[in-house]
Structures are given as structure tokens and as C-alpha cells.
Amino acid sequence: MRQAFRPGRFTSASILFLIGSVAYATKGSRPSANPPAYAAFSKPLTQTEQYYHALRRLTFGPKPGDYEAISHIGLHRWIENELHPEKTPENSILEKELLPLQALRMGIRDTYTHYP
């Protein structure tokens, strides 16, 4: 039987690779360790560049307020929040707004009988 695609496993591996590469880049590699063609990659990223790099690589592009969110909670915690959205509490205002929509609380059978 073919296994269903589980994005959590693939995403976790990708994120860990990115964290490892950012951590390795910030350990201070020497410019002379790389060939001259790669000298631009020897310079460690600044914190701002790391934030924007993560936003470009791990999302569909930075939205207004994303940079501020990362700078407020930190890069590693932001990545953990992205990987585990179930740990983020629901917005109470959103729950109040969705309360009148009965179809959201119906089971499959009830939905089928009410909305054929």
C-alpha cells in the first residue's frame, strides 16, 4: 500500500537542514577556506538577513508584520511555531465570529442530510 504524503516529516527535515546551515554559516567560516568563486558565501549572515532568508525560504514570501514577529520571539521559536501550529491557541474573536455557522460543527452525515 502506498503511503500518503505527510508534509510534517518533509518540512521538519527541511527546517532542520536550514537551521543547521544557518548555524554553520554563523560559526565564522574563514574566507580563505572557500575557492575565490564562493568568497561571497563565506561572510556570515546578519540577524536581519537570517530573518528575511527564513521568511523567503520557509513561507510563500514575507507578509507585513512577519519580520516583527520573528524579531519579537526569535528565529528558532518562530520556526517551531511554524512546524507545530497545533500549539498556537485559537483566537477567541474568531471563534465568536464562526459561532453562527452551523455547518462547521456538523458531522459528515448531518452535513449530507442538510446540504445534499
Side-chain angles (χ1 to χ4, degrees), residues 25-62:
T26 57
K27 287 199 184 205
S29 60
R30 297 184 325 264
S32 61
N34 289 328
Y38 299 111
F41 296 106
S42 298
K43 181 182 162 217
L45 297 175
T46 65
Q47 190 173 21
T48 303
E49 291 172 336
Q50 288 177 12
Y51 292 166
Y52 280 113
H53 180 73
L55 283 170
R56 282 189 226 107
R57 299 288 296 206
L58 305 176
T59 64
F60 291 107

Side-chain angles (χ1 to χ4, degrees), residues 5-83:
F5 175 71
R6 293 190 298 176
R9 235 180 13 189
F10 178 73
T11 307
S12 297
S14 302
I15 300 304
L16 290 175
F17 175 74
L18 177 69
I19 291 172
S21 64
V22 169
Y24 179 75
T26 57
K27 287 199 184 205
S29 60
R30 297 184 325 264
S32 61
N34 289 328
Y38 299 111
F41 296 106
S42 298
K43 181 182 162 217
L45 297 175
T46 65
Q47 190 173 21
T48 303
E49 291 172 336
Q50 288 177 12
Y51 292 166
Y52 280 113
H53 180 73
L55 283 170
R56 282 189 226 107
R57 299 288 296 206
L58 305 176
T59 64
F60 291 107
K63 297 180 304 221
D66 281 348
Y67 176 80
E68 289 80 14
I70 293 179
S71 61
H72 180 68
I73 64 173
L75 182 61
H76 293 290
R77 188 167 172 206
W78 179 82
I79 290 174
E80 282 298 316
N81 289 346
E82 290 292 310
L83 288 176

Side-chain angles (χ1 to χ4, degrees), residues 58-111:
L58 305 176
T59 64
F60 291 107
K63 297 180 304 221
D66 281 348
Y67 176 80
E68 289 80 14
I70 293 179
S71 61
H72 180 68
I73 64 173
L75 182 61
H76 293 290
R77 188 167 172 206
W78 179 82
I79 290 174
E80 282 298 316
N81 289 346
E82 290 292 310
L83 288 176
H84 304 289
E86 67 275 2
K87 293 180 181 178
T88 305
E90 290 292 331
N91 188 348
S92 60
I93 297 172
L94 176 65
E95 290 178 9
K96 288 178 187 175
E97 292 293 323
L98 295 177
L99 195 59
L101 304 175
Q102 296 175 355
L104 295 177
R105 293 182 305 280
M106 290 183 179
I108 299 292
R109 182 182 177 101
D110 294 333
T111 305

